[in-house]
Each structure stands twice: as C-alpha cells, then as structure tokens.
C-alpha cells in the first residue's frame, strides 16, 4: 500500500492533497501560503512525514494545446528543488489542465461562498489532480 501526495503549485500558494492508503481517494490537506522557498520545502517535508509518503504527484499546468509554457518550467524547477532536498522522493507530473476550473465548479455546486472558495481552491485543485492520477492507475 502506498500513499500519494499531490501539489497544485502556484506563485502564492501550494495546494496539498493526499490519498488514502489504498490509493483510491484523494482528500485535501492544506494550502501552504508561500513565503520563502526554504520554508515551503520545510513544510512540504513535514507533511510528507506526517502522511508517511515519498510519492509526490505535481500538477503540470500545460497550455490547452498540450504544449508546456513558462508555468511548467516554474513547476519543474520547484520540483527539482524538492528532489534535491528530499532525494528519495518519487516525483510524477500530472497534466492539470482544467483542474482549477473543475474545483471551482465543484465548490460553486456545493454552494460555497466566493470568500471561502478563494481559501480552499488550491487545495481542491490538488484533490482533482491526485484523483485523476489515482484513477489512471486502475
């Protein structure tokens, strides 16, 4: 049994979700408010330890035509630093196109206020990223 953690990496936040031990479902954990990179990496390490995982699924924000733009480079650079800091971590990139759109739609359907949506949108996007990845494994 293996637990996965997903990251929705943005400029100001990193949404985090984890799978159950069976690798069937994804649950939102938290949204890291980005400050300094070393603080972000430290918090990520604490969460990996807490949830006992060394398998990270990083959302890769491809363009709608499937090409990789500047955002993909930023995400890959951050994940390279994660790998440098935590060498035994397995990193998988997952196409996250429309994950934020799907998360927003889901929250609107659940009648979550705009103010609350803003606080949880990145965490929910991480859930959609991870759930997509988990579903692809089956």
């Amino acid at each position: 049994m293996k637990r996965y953690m997903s990251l929705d990496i943005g400029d100001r936040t990193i949404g985090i979700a984890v799978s159950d031990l069976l690798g069937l479902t994804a649950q939102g954990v938290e949204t890291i408010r980005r400050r300094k990179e070393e603080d972000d990496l430290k918090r990520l390490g604490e969460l990996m330890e807490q949830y006992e995982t060394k398998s990270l699924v990083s959302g890769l924000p491809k363009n709608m035509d499937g090409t990789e733009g500047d955002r993909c480079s930023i995400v890959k650079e951050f994940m390279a630093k994660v790998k440098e800091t935590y060498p035994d971590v397995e990193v998988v990139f997952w196409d996250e196109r429309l994950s934020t759109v799907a998360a927003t739609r889901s929250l609107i359907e659940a009648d979550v206020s705009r103010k609350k949506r803003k606080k949880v949108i990145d965490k929910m996007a991480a859930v959609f990223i991870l759930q997509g990845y988990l579903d692809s494994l089956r």
Side-chain angles (χ1 to χ4, degrees), residues 6-110:
S6 70
L7 291 76
D8 179 43
I9 302 165
D11 292 329
R12 288 180 275 174
T13 60
I14 301 173
I16 305 287
V18 295
S19 70
D20 62 335
L21 283 172
L22 297 175
L24 299 174
T25 61
Q27 298 88 32
V29 172
E30 80 174 57
T31 300
I32 298 172
R33 299 273 167 227
R34 299 192 74 177
R35 291 178 179 84
K36 292 187 297 191
E37 195 168 80
E38 62 194 43
D39 293 343
D40 301 343
L41 293 169
K42 181 178 181 229
R43 182 62 187 143
L44 183 59
E46 292 166 354
L47 289 169
M48 287 188 299
E49 190 174 315
Q50 179 182 344
Y51 289 97
E52 299 174 350
T53 185
K54 293 202 179 293
S55 298
L56 299 180
V57 179
S58 173
L60 195 60
K62 291 183 177 182
N63 297 320
M64 289 311 289
D65 65 2
T67 60
E68 293 186 11
D70 293 342
R71 293 290 323 151
C72 287
S73 300
I74 291 167
V75 166
K76 285 182 173 181
E77 283 173 27
F78 180 77
M79 292 311 291
K81 289 177 182 152
V82 169
K83 195 85 171 112
E84 190 178 301
T85 307
Y86 305 104
D88 1 334
V89 165
E90 167 196 20
V91 173
V92 175
F93 291 101
W94 186 254
D95 184 351
E96 72 164 66
R97 280 179 284 185
L98 302 179
S99 63
T100 302
V101 172
T104 301
R105 234 182 245 146
S106 174
L107 291 168
I108 288 170
E109 286 173 13

Side-chain angles (χ1 to χ4, degrees), residues 124-135:
M124 287 299 295
V127 169
F128 276 87
I129 291 164
L130 184 53
Q131 193 62 58
Y133 178 73
L134 294 173
D135 290 348

